[in-house]
Amino acid sequence: MVDAKFLKPDTLALHAGQHPDPVTGARAVPIYQTTSYVFRDVDHAASLFNLEVGGHIYSRISNPTVAVFEERVAALEEGSGALGVSSGQAALHIAIATLMGAGGHIVASTSLYGGTRNMLGLTLPRFGITATFVNPRDHDGFRRAIKPETRLVLGETVGNPGGEVLDIPAIAEIAHAAKLPLMIDNTFASPVLCRPLTLGADIVFHSATKFIGGHGVAIGGVIVESGRFDWEGSGKFLTLTEPYAGYHGIDFAEEFGPHAFIMRARTEGVRDFGCCMAPQTAFYLLQGLETLPLRMARHVENARKVIAFLEANPAVERIASPDLPDHPDHALAQRLLPKGTGSIFSFDIKGGREAGRRFIERLRLFSHLANVGDAKSLVIHPASTTHAQLDAAALREAGIGEGMIRLSVGLEDADDLLDDLGQALRAATKA
Amino acid sequence: MKLTVHGRGVTATTGGAEFDPGKPAIVFLHGAGFDRTVWRLQTRWFAHHGRSVLAVDFPGHGWSEGPALDSIAALADWTAALIDAAGLERAALVGHSMGALVAVETAARFADKVRALGLCGVAAEMPVHPEMLESAKANTPKVEELITFWGIGNALHKGGMVSPGLWLRRESLAVLSGNRPGVIHTDLAACHAYKDAIQRAAAIKCPTVLVLGDGDLMTPAAKAKPLAAAIGGARSVVIPGAGHFMIVERPDEALEALRGCV
Ligand SMILES: Cc1ncc(COP(=O)(O)O)c(C=O)c1O
């Protein structure tokens, strides 16, 4: 018996995309803090500009430090290539702008990060791109929402605040039947807990700001392509299958095959929209990637301890985590995310908006801020912050209770986290 | 570009430039289970440096109509017909792996149609591991994994692609998994059965370069030596640190080796 002994994810998290610097021997990934790269000669310059040869021209389009980050994420996500950009929002925007122009339509899950919802529902319509939102559990709804002008189906592996898990294989099948790609925001799961491209998705993106970095020091985003979507056979993606004047009539699918999407996203998307990742950012995010497998295991372990503690606490009304058997997506989560569903979940505190506010104010270890996926534990009370403009009815519609608290459980000693939560819950419900 | 060979549609990329039969032409021939896109870092350069380029999808591969042809001899007949169909009198042939065997066979049997040869990842014979053949026959993914695992050189298993952000392991698996059922087996069986390279080599009179990887596990550089010796005047370039996918792993060095010949 012979076997393909590919390097495994924990190894790739440390090594993929990098060889020790051949000139200096530097073991760490050097920060190539440069805007531009000297051409070998005039012909080399022209060849680089015309995509005849590989290499770097200008750091808006590519940079060696960023390239290590990109290749490493591609490796971890099982993609044919990746593109690093300035934020998760930039990743979403570049992916959409690469696939469609005015007139395009997106079918998206309702369980989306608020910023995604804003871009799709409010901003992109000004540019002629519209979206229909469908409950992630309503598979037939996805099928029905697809129109002739639809160009993308979009969802999140694990949504928030409800912890909805998208049935990626089923939704991929629906998208593919309509000759459309499925794109997944895998921020909350990270490639350690779920690799959507192996489940049928065609594009993955991340807010690398979150678990990938893990340290909360850098904003970044990344897009990964599977290399398997048949753009030519679909016939709906002229950006990838028709000559593009930007490079003398290049046809990306014909010439780049499994890299068609990422090549277009890089050579048109970030080239023109300019939302590149800084080399310093890539360096920070690479520090995060090195320990991502270890951190995710600890995030999951700590989150489970916190959930068990909250379940037993009389001040807690309801916990929305697919890790729990009473969550509607529990069985699906066990199938798609067997190692755990991450460490971001929400719960309702008895006493509504007021109790929620008091709870947050009494926490000592959990930081009250607008972020998730940090090594440090974080908390937010949506009804008084991100969703403060909504009244009780509108909150209900968004699936957010007035007393709902969202936690992002970090890497601290779990006992300290439980002590902190316990004292804050007591204080919040005493008054 | 779309062509018709033996009554069936063929797709070839021209490297992003208008195909002009008046310029010296190069036909690129991919390896078993792959398609035209493996040549992307050679085709565009040649097409913008005085050559006319046709990187074809063999029948049944990529965007060309099937069925796949089941012997190196049949693929050589097809390649000769392709040169005619493109309105060319002669072309240089650049082949990788199975495509290199096809180039050898075509150059020997249709000498007047072939002006130069570039043979990448080639060996005098290409016996295929029985478990690969078995998996290919059963259309299981193992053969795709083994081609990818043995095809990528040691260095590139960790990545480090010249084109920023691309990950070779999944590129290879993505292309291989896109094959129609049976195609990989047809290719591998054709490679496995072909024993004529050394004998055909004697008939090759055109300038020839062999582009080899010193870390190639599929067609080790040493196994190319008898073939190089049998082709009069052939030059061998061994790229350090490169595996069987040297044209993607070390595209600049492969291009440099080819441009001196084709
Ligand atoms: C799930 C998810 N996707 C996308 C984003 C946007 O990413 P960024 O803030 O890096 O632009 C966020 C940010 O909170 C997020 O949580």
Side-chain angles (χ1 to χ4, degrees):
Chain A
M1 263 277 285
V2 287
D3 269 315
K5 300 198 90 173
F6 291 118
L7 296 175
K8 297 179 181 61
D10 289 14
T11 307
L12 295 172
L14 290 156
H15 291 282
Q18 192 224 357
H19 297 273
D21 186 79
V23 177
T24 62
R27 175 62 270 198
V29 179
I31 303 171
Y32 287 93
Q33 193 68 51
T34 182
T35 57
S36 29
Y37 307 84
V38 177
F39 305 121
R40 292 201 284 268
D41 52 46
V42 172
D43 182 62
H44 179 232
S47 296
L48 276 167
F49 269 89
N50 197 31
L51 309 181
E52 294 163 22
V53 297
H56 305 287
I57 299 172
Y58 187 63
S59 286
R60 171 154 38 79
I61 301 165
S62 68
N63 168 281
T65 311
V66 178
V68 176
F69 170 74
E70 292 166 335
E71 204 171 345
R72 196 165 297 182
V73 175
L76 293 174
E77 282 288 6
E78 303 272 15
S80 61
L83 173 66
V85 289
S86 55
S87 69
Q89 287 299 96
L92 174 66
H93 178 234
I94 290 297
I96 292 171
T98 299
L99 294 176
M100 70 192 85
H105 172 256
I106 299 167
V107 175
S109 159
T110 46
S111 177
L112 290 175
Y113 164 60
T116 305
R117 182 90 195 210
N118 284 342
M119 192 195 298
L120 266 55
L122 303 175
T123 312
L124 289 178
R126 281 203 291 118
F127 299 89
I129 293 172
T130 55
T132 304
F133 297 97
V134 183
N135 183 307
R137 293 178 191 127
D138 180 8
H139 295 184
D140 241 14
F142 276 90
R143 210 175 277 118
R144 280 195 311 271
I146 292 171
K147 308 193 265 191
E149 55 275 25
T150 305
R151 293 292 175 270
L152 180 66
V153 178
L154 172 68
E156 294 183 6
T157 314
V158 185
N160 94 90
E164 298 84 0
V165 177
L166 191 75
D167 190 342
I168 295 171
I171 303 299
E173 210 175 299
I174 291 167
H176 295 163
K179 298 183 186 271
L180 296 172
L182 171 64
M183 178 160 84
I184 297 293
D185 179 340
N186 198 33
T187 302
F188 277 29
S190 93
V192 174
L193 301 180
C194 183
R195 286 171 301 162
L197 300 181
T198 66
L199 298 173
D202 306 286
I203 303 169
V204 155
F205 78 99
H206 283 273
S207 168
T209 315
K210 309 295 179 322
F211 286 118
I212 284 181
H215 32 44
V217 305
I219 301 275
V222 61
I223 316 169
V224 192
E225 133 172 73
S226 74
R228 287 193 313 266
F229 191 79
D230 182 4
W231 308 106
E232 182 77 5
S234 165
K236 292 171 184 277
F237 298 93
L238 304 188
T239 49
L240 301 178
T241 60
E242 292 284 307
Y244 173 48
Y247 294 90
H248 308 294
I250 199 167
D251 176 329
F252 284 88
E254 184 185 300
E255 295 203 40
F256 297 124
H259 305 303
F261 170 78
I262 281 295
M263 286 298 288
R264 176 94 185 199
R266 181 186 299 284
T267 60
E268 178 194 55
V270 283
R271 184 199 64 179
D272 292 2
F273 292 111
C275 47
C276 54
M277 176 178 281
Q280 187 83 39
T281 295
F283 177 81
Y284 292 140
L285 296 175
L286 280 164
Q287 302 312 299
L289 277 179
E290 291 197 350
T291 57
L292 185 65
L294 286 173
R295 285 187 290 111
M296 291 314 292
R298 173 70 173 248
H299 277 295
V300 167
E301 186 189 322
N302 274 1
R304 285 183 173 156
K305 287 181 183 164
V306 168
I307 288 170
F309 172 81
L310 293 175
E311 266 192 302
N313 193 298
V316 172
E317 265 185 334
R318 185 187 67 112
I319 304 170
S321 163
D323 254 3
L324 290 172
D326 66 349
H327 190 279
D329 298 327
H330 180 67
L332 181 61
Q334 290 200 309
R335 180 155 58 86
L336 302 189
L337 299 110
K339 290 194 231 164
T341 58
S343 75
I344 302 159
F345 66 93
S346 57
F347 67 94
D348 286 325
I349 188 168
K350 281 185 187 148
R353 216 180 267 248
E354 217 16 72
R357 192 195 311 257
R358 279 197 304 273
F359 171 72
I360 298 241
E361 278 171 359
R362 293 301 291 262
L363 282 167
R364 296 165 190 154
L365 269 178
F366 281 78
S367 304
H368 180 209
L369 51 72
N371 193 24
V372 290
D374 196 297
K376 302 167 190 78
S377 289
L378 314 176
V379 64
I380 201 158
H381 178 220
S384 67
T385 55
T386 51
H387 296 71
Q389 72 282 13
L390 304 187
D391 60 18
L395 280 176
R396 251 196 318 280
E397 203 172 299
I400 296 167
E402 288 195 78
M404 181 187 269
I405 304 287
R406 186 187 70 195
L407 297 183
S408 172
V409 178
L411 305 178
E412 298 90 343
D413 188 307
D415 288 343
D416 291 335
L417 296 178
L418 304 189
D419 284 345
D420 191 31
L421 292 166
Q423 63 81 20
L425 282 169
R426 275 194 303 278
T429 47
K430 205 158 53 191
Chain B
M1 188 161 121
K2 303 285 177 198
L3 296 151
T4 303
V5 178
H6 294 156
R8 297 185 198 277
V10 174
T11 295
T13 178
T14 58
E18 198 74 33
F19 183 77
D20 173 1
K23 289 183 186 164
I26 310 176
V27 175
F28 287 87
L29 307 169
H30 62 78
F34 286 91
D35 67 18
R36 66 193 181 283
T37 62
V38 298
W39 298 109
R40 62 186 179 274
L41 290 175
Q42 289 84 32
T43 45
R44 288 186 66 78
W45 189 89
F46 279 113
H48 292 89
H49 288 80
R51 289 13 167 246
S52 267
V53 165
L54 287 177
V56 300
D57 287 338
F58 276 131
H61 296 71
W63 296 351
S64 287
E65 286 175 18
L69 304 178
D70 63 3
S71 69
I72 300 300
L75 285 163
D77 292 337
W78 179 90
T79 302
L82 172 98
I83 293 170
D84 292 342
L88 300 167
E89 274 177 27
R90 313 167 74 216
L93 299 180
V94 175
H96 177 239
S97 199
M98 175 183 83
L101 296 181
V102 176
V104 165
E105 175 81 9
T106 312
R109 286 187 19 231
F110 304 92
D112 56 332
K113 289 188 195 296
V114 181
R115 64 174 178 83
L117 276 184
L119 308 174
C120 309
V122 71
E125 293 188 6
M126 293 189 196
V128 177
H129 194 285
E131 286 189 42
M132 287 172 75
L133 284 168
E134 207 176 292
S135 162
K137 190 158 195 182
N139 290 300
T140 59
K142 181 163 192 177
V143 64
E144 297 157 20
E145 287 171 12
L146 290 174
I147 290 175
T148 302
F149 179 65
W150 283 326
I152 297 176
N154 238 332
L156 267 284
H157 272 292
K158 283 199 279 182
M161 290 277 268
V162 171
S163 300
L166 306 189
W167 175 240
L168 182 55
R169 185 200 297 180
R170 272 290 148 184
E171 168 187 336
S172 170
L173 290 169
V175 174
L176 290 169
S177 72
N179 277 289
R180 287 155 252 186
V183 167
I184 296 179
H185 182 257
T186 303
D187 287 357
L188 293 181
C191 293
H192 190 69
Y194 187 68
K195 306 289 178 209
D196 301 343
I198 294 289
Q199 182 213 327
R200 294 285 189 237
I204 294 174
K205 302 286 177 244
C206 62
T208 299
V209 63
L210 285 78
V211 183
L212 309 167
D214 74 349
D216 185 337
L217 299 176
M218 308 266 271
T219 51
K223 296 269 168 65
K225 272 194 185 148
L227 181 63
I231 301 175
R235 196 165 61 89
S236 292
V237 177
V238 181
I239 303 176
H244 189 58
F245 296 158
M246 74 290 293
I247 52 178
V248 183
E249 295 178 41
R250 297 276 174 254
D252 295 343
E253 290 88 338
L255 176 63
E256 184 64 31
L258 290 169
R259 61 192 271 195
C261 182
V262 303

